[in-house]
Amino acid sequence: VFARPAARGAESELTHLVDLRSAALAMGPAEAGLFAYAAAMLHWNRTHRFCGTCGEPTEALEGGHVRRCAMPTSSRSRSTAI
């Protein structure tokens, strides 16, 4: 599953953006689960941009499932998502 936040003004006359909770009502359990997982990954990557130990920026690896501190000496050089 690939997901990214919607850009402001991304709606057009051919598209209509809805929030995940509203869309989940029209989905089956498997689809809703995938979309919930994608939303959780977006949130995790958005809220873990910096190392919790030294404050340096982190970089996303392995499709966003891992974030690594830019400081090679950091004790938290790898942090795994969800």
Side-chain angles (χ1 to χ4, degrees):
V1 173
F2 292 94
R4 68 178 198 161
R8 296 227 187 272
E11 261 186 276
S12 71
E13 40 188 71
L14 300 176
T15 62
H16 177 70
L17 300 176
V18 295
D19 65 289
L20 179 61
R21 287 189 179 113
S22 298
L25 296 173
M27 296 178 195
E31 292 170 316
L34 284 174
F35 278 90
Y37 184 78
M41 289 296 298
L42 286 171
H43 174 75
W44 187 80
N45 276 284
R46 187 173 49 245
T47 59
H48 290 78
R49 295 181 341 189
F50 298 95
C51 177
T53 301
C54 67
E56 288 292 318
T58 59
E59 64 176 324
L61 302 168
E62 299 180 32
H65 291 268
V66 172
R67 296 198 68 89
R68 183 174 57 201
C69 179
M71 281 296 266
T73 58
S74 175
S75 63
R76 292 181 61 181
S77 62
R78 288 178 71 87
S79 177
T80 306
I82 306 174

